[in-house]
Amino acid sequence: MRIRIDQDRCVGAGMCALTAPSVFTQDDDGFSELLEGRDDGAGDPLVREAARACPVRAITVADA
């Protein structure tokens, strides 16, 4: 799987980091980012749920 965060859409709600903390975090300004080496989701089953939880749909998940 491949994860992408649209930084222009992200509002820093943090739902992704709360839902899948092993994949997502927030930067110093509060905007979402992927943890280093986790752009493939690292097998976390909550990645898709985190994308659905994003209030502005800034996260896309595509199968590899």
Side-chain angles (χ1 to χ4, degrees), residues 4-62:
R4 185 173 138 344
I5 301 171
D6 183 340
Q7 296 297 336
D8 292 331
R9 293 187 89 175
C10 181
V11 295
M15 295 306 297
C16 58
L18 290 172
T19 305
S22 69
V23 177
F24 298 96
T25 190
Q26 290 179 284
D27 65 16
D28 291 339
D29 294 321
F31 296 105
S32 297
E33 64 182 13
L34 293 167
L35 290 170
E36 187 173 334
R38 301 298 174 125
D39 60 337
D40 64 353
D44 191 322
L46 295 175
V47 169
R48 291 184 194 282
E49 182 60 33
R52 282 190 290 271
C54 179
V56 295
R57 305 287 187 240
I59 301 169
T60 55
V61 179

